[in-house]
């Protein structure tokens, strides 16, 4: 009995101390924020028909000489002796949130990309949930954003965008979504960092948070303590814990407004190749700090050339906004409207100059891949790709030298190129370190060197980043 009384007293003291610690630490209470914001968060389910991996390819040779009638048994398990692959229904889960009372919903493009059916589940006033078919209004692959619409004859709860630029590292944030299909899961954390580049796309500028984000959270809102959306939960690092990434609301709001108004998402362009400024480069040019974007080359007859920019200039600011690196310049120009003017501060010959540039329009990699597909040649049968030369506009927009560049417009499944992670929209710059700009040039290198060595190394450009991919060919 004495032991029981001692344990009870110890438990009481522990609870009191824990309560006092929570009050002293001034930890926030998220219950009101979660209750108020939760009804505007939706569960997104998508379906699409896809060709299966094809068990006939795995077992076809094994069963080729089996007795008549065996094929019926084989077909029951998904195999097709006629060479046609079965179609299967693929499903995916994600999150989204309402941004207007008339049913507009923001989510990630990767949640709804290529979907045949999009269903959105909303919480109703009676506490029950109901699913509706949603229409895809538009999407932007390069920022991974999409806008949906559901038609419901009543006003719906919605969230508003806040100002992500005003966020401070260490600020409390709340994430709401459907991780692993568990709808309306609430997690809290702080803003860990801003302006993160995780090489997911050309305009990476992610917010990093330690609020738990898992598969199924994609497209859900990241909220500040005022209940405003400051980010769209988008990515995680699979090997890490407490590391999630969200698209800043200031970037997302501009894109969503363009999509909602029915306009094509357009971005500014000046026509230069750029790179970061290293410490030794800054010293060589007499700069105090290694900041800015170094212009490697200025393309002829493009906005930068017309505005007086030169090779070797270092861009320090755009319209008064400091540029710390090449990625910052890319984002700053892309945010501006084509046809508008930008005042660009550059460092040249030991002093700064202000140049006025009238912006052109940037073409995305997906637009380039869509153009001229009929001109492609499937002559790289060994690799399993269809390619075509770049036109002048594509070379300009993707900053590709005139002596390089073959656009991949199709990649065959289960072929070497697919296994090496080559994708439509990739641009092959070099094969075994030799520039290629015609299908014939690539074929020659594949046949003369690749076949003999059993592999070929391709240098590719993907959304402005350059990679090497080695494609095994066999001997």
């Amino acid at each position: 009995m004495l032991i029981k009384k001692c344990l009870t007293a110890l438990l009481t003291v522990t609870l009191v101390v824990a309560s006092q610690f929570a009050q002293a630490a001034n930890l926030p209470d998220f219950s009101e924020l979660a209750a108020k914001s939760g009804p505007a968060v939706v569960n997104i389910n998508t379906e699409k028909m896809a060709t299966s991996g094809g068990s006939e390819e795995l077992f076809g040779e094994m069963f080729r000489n089996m007795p008549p009638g065996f094929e019926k048994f084989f077909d029951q398990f998904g195999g097709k002796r006629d060479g046609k692959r079965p179609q299967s229904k693929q499903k995916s889960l994600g999150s989204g949130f309402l941004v207007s009372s008339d049913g507009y919903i923001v989510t990630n493009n990767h949640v709804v990309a290529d979907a045949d059916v999009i269903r959105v589940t909303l919480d109703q006033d009676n506490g029950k949930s109901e699913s509706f078919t949603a229409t895809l209004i538009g999407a932007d692959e390069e920022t991974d954003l999409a806008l949906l619409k559901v038609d419901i004859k009543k006003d719906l709860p919605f969230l508003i965008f806040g100002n992500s630029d005003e966020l401070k590292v260490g600020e409390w944030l709340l994430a709401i979504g459907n991780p692993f299909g568990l709808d309306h899961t609430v997690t809290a954390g702080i803003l860990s960092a801003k302006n993160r580049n995780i090489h997911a796309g050309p305009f990476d500028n992610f917010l990093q948070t330690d609020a738990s984000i898992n598969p199924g959270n994609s497209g859900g809102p990241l909220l500040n303590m005022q209940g405003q959306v400051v980010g769209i939960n988008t990515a995680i690092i699979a090997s890490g814990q407490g590391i999630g990434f969200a698209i800043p609301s200031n970037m997302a709001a501009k894109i969503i407004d363009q999509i909602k108004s029915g306009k094509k998402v357009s971005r500014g362009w000046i026509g230069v190749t750029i790179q970061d400024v290293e410490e030794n480069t800054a010293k060589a040019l007499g700069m105090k700090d290694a900041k800015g974007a170094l212009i490697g080359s200025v393309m002829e007859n493009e906005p930068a050339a017309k505005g007086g920019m030169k090779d070797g200039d270092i861009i320090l600011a755009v319209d008064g906004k400091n540029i710390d690196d090449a990625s910052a310049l890319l984002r700053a120009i892309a945010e501006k409207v084509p046809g508008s003017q930008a005042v660009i501060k550059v460092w040249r010959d030991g002093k700064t100059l202000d140049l006025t540039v009238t912006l052109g329009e940037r073409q995305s990699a997906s637009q380039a891949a869509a153009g001229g597909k009929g001109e492609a040649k499937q002559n790289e049968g060994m690799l399993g790709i269809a390619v075509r030369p770049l036109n002048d506009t594509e070379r300009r927009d993707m900053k590709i030298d005139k002596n390089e560049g073959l656009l991949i417009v199709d990649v065959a499944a289960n072929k070497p190129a697919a296994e090496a992670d080559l994708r439509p929209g990739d641009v092959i710059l070099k094969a075994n370190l030799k520039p290629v700009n015609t299908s014939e040039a690539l074929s020659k290198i594949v046949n003369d060197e690749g076949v003999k060595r059993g592999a070929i190394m391709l240098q590719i450009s993907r959304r402005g980043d350059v990679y090497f991919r080695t494609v095994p060919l066999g001997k």
Side-chain angles (χ1 to χ4, degrees):
M1 180 66 70
L2 179 61
I3 294 176
K4 184 176 180 180
K5 289 182 178 179
C6 289
L7 289 174
T8 302
L10 179 62
L11 178 60
T12 301
V13 171
T14 302
L15 291 174
V16 171
V17 171
S19 177
Q20 290 176 345
F21 176 78
Q23 293 176 2
N26 196 28
L27 295 178
D29 181 352
F30 295 97
S31 57
E32 183 177 347
L33 176 59
K36 185 180 295 185
S37 304
V41 180
V42 304
N43 189 326
I44 299 176
N45 295 267
T46 67
E47 294 180 2
K48 66 178 179 179
M49 295 303 296
T51 301
S52 71
S55 55
E56 76 281 2
E57 292 192 356
L58 181 59
F59 299 110
E61 287 296 323
M62 185 186 302
F63 295 153
R64 186 179 296 281
N65 298 316
M66 288 293 179
F70 185 82
E71 61 189 44
K72 293 182 179 179
F73 170 80
F74 178 56
D75 288 349
Q76 291 177 3
F77 293 89
K80 292 296 179 182
R81 301 272 295 196
D82 59 6
K84 296 180 179 179
R85 294 184 187 176
Q87 293 280 309
S88 62
K89 184 181 292 185
Q90 294 184 351
K91 297 183 179 181
S92 66
L93 297 172
S95 307
F97 56 95
L98 288 150
V99 291
S100 66
S101 62
D102 55 350
Y104 282 97
I105 297 169
V106 171
T107 186
N108 283 140
N109 174 63
H110 76 258
V111 171
V112 297
D114 302 320
D116 296 317
V117 179
I118 303 172
R119 292 189 179 90
V120 172
T121 302
L122 291 79
D123 282 351
Q124 300 299 299
D125 296 335
N126 57 11
K128 297 181 179 180
S129 59
E130 189 174 356
S131 294
F132 302 88
T133 299
T135 301
L136 177 62
I137 301 301
D140 180 48
E141 180 183 354
E142 293 188 308
T143 52
D144 197 15
L145 291 167
L147 183 66
L148 311 178
K149 178 74 163 62
V150 290
D151 292 320
I152 304 175
K153 295 181 179 178
K154 67 173 184 177
D155 288 342
L156 298 170
F158 63 93
L159 301 173
I160 62 172
F161 285 113
N163 187 344
S164 55
D165 288 346
E166 294 180 350
L167 286 174
K168 297 179 180 179
V169 173
E171 186 172 336
W172 282 103
L173 301 172
L174 186 75
I176 307 179
N178 308 288
F180 304 106
L182 303 171
D183 64 333
H184 284 79
T185 296
V186 177
T187 55
I190 62 170
L191 179 66
S192 304
K194 301 171 70 173
N195 306 315
R196 288 299 198 205
N197 185 345
I198 61 173
H199 304 290
F203 307 113
D204 279 16
N205 188 29
F206 289 105
L207 304 175
Q208 180 183 327
T209 178
D210 65 356
S212 294
I213 296 175
N214 291 289
N217 272 111
S218 290
L222 188 66
L223 304 167
N224 61 17
M225 294 302 292
Q226 291 73 49
Q228 299 169 331
V229 178
V230 291
I232 294 89
N233 300 320
T234 299
I236 60 175
I237 293 180
S239 59
Q241 293 183 349
I243 303 177
F245 300 97
I247 301 168
S249 58
N250 285 12
M251 174 187 290
K254 294 176 183 178
I255 300 299
I256 294 303
D257 283 346
Q258 289 186 63
I259 295 174
K260 188 175 181 180
S261 64
K263 298 177 181 177
K264 181 187 75 171
V265 176
S266 58
R267 298 181 170 91
W269 158 267
I270 58 175
V272 294
T273 61
I274 53 176
Q275 62 192 71
D276 293 341
V277 178
E278 299 179 352
E279 184 177 351
N280 288 331
T281 302
K283 289 180 180 179
L285 296 176
M287 300 175 64
K288 293 182 179 180
D289 300 310
K291 293 185 177 181
L294 173 62
I295 298 178
S297 64
V298 178
M299 301 177 189
E300 294 182 7
N301 300 318
E302 295 300 333
K306 294 176 181 178
M309 301 182 74
K310 298 181 179 181
D311 297 356
D313 284 350
I314 294 180
I315 297 178
L316 301 176
V318 175
D319 286 340
K321 183 177 181 179
N322 291 337
I323 300 299
D324 291 331
D325 53 29
S327 295
L329 174 64
L330 184 61
R331 292 192 302 269
I333 295 298
E335 289 175 357
K336 299 192 174 298
V337 179
S340 65
Q341 289 187 333
V343 178
I344 300 178
K345 178 176 290 186
V346 303
W347 176 272
R348 181 191 299 169
D349 297 331
K351 56 184 179 181
T352 59
L353 300 173
D354 286 334
L355 304 174
T356 301
V357 178
T358 301
L359 305 182
E361 182 174 3
R362 182 181 188 275
Q363 186 177 25
S364 68
S366 58
Q367 289 171 321
K373 187 170 182 177
E375 306 168 21
K377 297 181 180 180
Q378 187 79 39
N379 65 341
E380 316 318 329
M382 196 174 302
L383 297 178
I385 56 176
V387 299
R388 67 170 176 82
L390 297 172
N391 59 43
D392 291 340
T393 300
E394 291 164 347
R395 289 185 191 284
R396 180 204 74 182
D397 293 344
M398 290 188 281
K399 308 169 188 174
I400 304 296
D401 184 81
K402 64 180 180 181
N403 295 319
E404 298 176 341
L406 281 174
L407 182 69
I408 299 178
V409 296
D410 193 27
V411 178
N414 301 316
K415 291 289 187 179
E419 294 173 3
D421 192 34
L422 294 179
R423 308 173 190 176
D426 288 348
V427 176
I428 300 175
L429 304 175
K430 296 178 181 177
N432 282 358
L433 302 180
K434 297 179 178 64
V436 290
N437 58 12
T438 66
S439 180
E440 291 74 19
L442 177 59
S443 291
K444 180 173 175 53
I445 298 173
V446 170
N447 293 326
D448 292 352
E449 301 179 20
V451 174
K452 180 179 179 180
R453 300 173 182 174
I456 186 169
M457 185 174 72
L458 302 177
Q459 185 187 47
I460 65 167
S461 174
R462 177 181 296 167
R463 292 181 173 181
D465 292 324
V466 178
Y467 307 88
F468 281 103
R469 291 287 185 266
T470 300
V471 184
L473 298 176
K475 295 186 177 181

